[in-house]
Amino acid sequence: MIFASQPQVNWSELFGNARAVDVEIGSGKGSFLLSHARLHPERNVLGIENQPRWARWIADRLARASLPNARVLCADASLVVARFVRDESVRAYHLYFPDPWWKRRHHKRRLMQSDFAGELFRTLEPGGVLHLATDVEARFAAMVDELATLPFAVARSDEPTPDGRPLTNFERKYRLEGRSLYYATFTKHRPRSGEIR
Ligand SMILES: C[S@@+](CC[C@H](N)C(=O)[O-])C[C@H]1O[C@@H](n2cnc3c(N)ncnc32)[C@H](O)[C@@H]1O
């Protein structure tokens, strides 16, 4: 049971430093999380994975890899972001191949519903970025539509990112299969000076 009075997470306490925080949602087997944390020791990286089996798998990998800037949390990311993440406290969200359930009957289980899009926006720092990738074109269009209702600058791409971020497990598999993949980044507008926030 979660009570409204429960405190929001203090990233500095969790990681033991005040570095910028990246959050990966739905980390699966954790390849991106580990590689990203290794490539960016100047950032803190949290993976949220709701399947205990995979969260444990990642925790084991993290323990072996000795990455002090990475953590994994086993929980529903939509709940965690809505209830426990402070306003403007996340530098980047990474949302890669989030929905294995793209059929109509699975609509309710989809992550990117309007409430969640709003929570991602609320918790991103000004200038912060949401990275999105999926292999389902219709889902991509729906997620872009959802996010486009918020003040984000949107950039679509045929490649993961210009800086060549590490691939995720699903991404590697889908690329080998020759599937079409869809990518976009959403950058939260910085308020202009004098603008009311
Ligand atoms: C298709 S897999 C992709 C895994 C990884 N991102 C990749 O690209 O290899 C989607 C992952 O998201 C997780 N997931 C789905 N909904 C979630 C939620 N609400 N909160 C946290 N994790 C979630 C699933 O358990 C699964 O591991």
Side-chain angles (χ1 to χ4, degrees):
M1 173 89 61
I2 290 166
F3 296 99
S5 60
Q6 274 186 282
Q8 291 181 308
V9 67
N10 179 327
W11 295 129
S12 303
E13 275 177 17
L14 182 68
F15 288 100
N17 62 61
R19 293 180 200 137
V21 174
D22 278 23
V23 177
E24 187 192 17
I25 290 170
S27 300
K29 290 184 176 178
S31 288
F32 170 79
L33 181 72
L34 271 90
S35 303
H36 188 66
R38 203 171 280 125
L39 278 174
H40 293 286
E42 80 287 2
R43 293 182 203 159
N44 295 316
V45 186
L46 174 71
I48 309 177
E49 169 54 55
N50 68 350
Q51 291 298 318
R53 178 178 175 211
W54 296 127
R56 247 182 259 121
W57 175 283
I58 297 171
D60 285 348
R61 289 184 75 182
L62 285 177
R64 285 198 302 274
S66 144
L67 286 166
N69 61 330
R71 302 276 189 282
V72 63
L73 176 65
C74 183
D76 178 345
S78 51
L79 192 142
V80 171
V81 174
R83 303 296 292 269
F84 298 114
V85 180
R86 290 185 178 161
D87 291 1
E88 302 190 346
S89 66
V90 174
R91 191 206 70 93
Y93 281 108
H94 301 267
L95 186 51
Y96 302 130
F97 308 92
D99 295 316
W101 327 280
W102 48 271
K103 294 186 178 143
R104 186 169 283 278
R105 68 175 185 274
H106 295 148
H107 275 198
K108 277 199 219 134
R109 291 165 73 179
R110 287 177 179 166
L111 259 174
M112 193 59 74
Q113 320 249 359
S114 61
D115 289 358
F116 189 54
E119 293 296 340
L120 295 175
F121 183 82
R122 173 185 69 76
T123 51
L124 271 175
E125 295 171 358
V129 183
L130 164 64
H131 300 275
L132 178 68
T134 177
D135 59 312
V136 185
E137 189 174 14
R139 283 299 300 136
F140 181 72
M143 288 191 275
V144 169
D145 284 352
E146 198 64 69
L147 289 158
T149 61
L150 296 158
F152 279 118
V154 186
R156 298 181 193 208
S157 164
D158 294 328
E159 289 297 322
T161 57
D163 58 358
R165 63 157 172 79
L167 300 184
T168 74
N169 295 89
F170 270 71
E171 193 168 24
R172 217 173 287 135
K173 175 167 121 62
Y174 290 159
R175 285 183 161 215
L176 285 174
E177 292 172 3
R179 290 201 204 187
S180 298
L181 304 181
Y182 306 92
Y183 297 100
T185 56
F186 301 81
T187 306
K188 180 170 173 173
H189 287 302
R190 289 174 194 281
R192 280 169 291 223
S193 61
E195 198 173 299
I196 294 170
R197 292 161 63 189

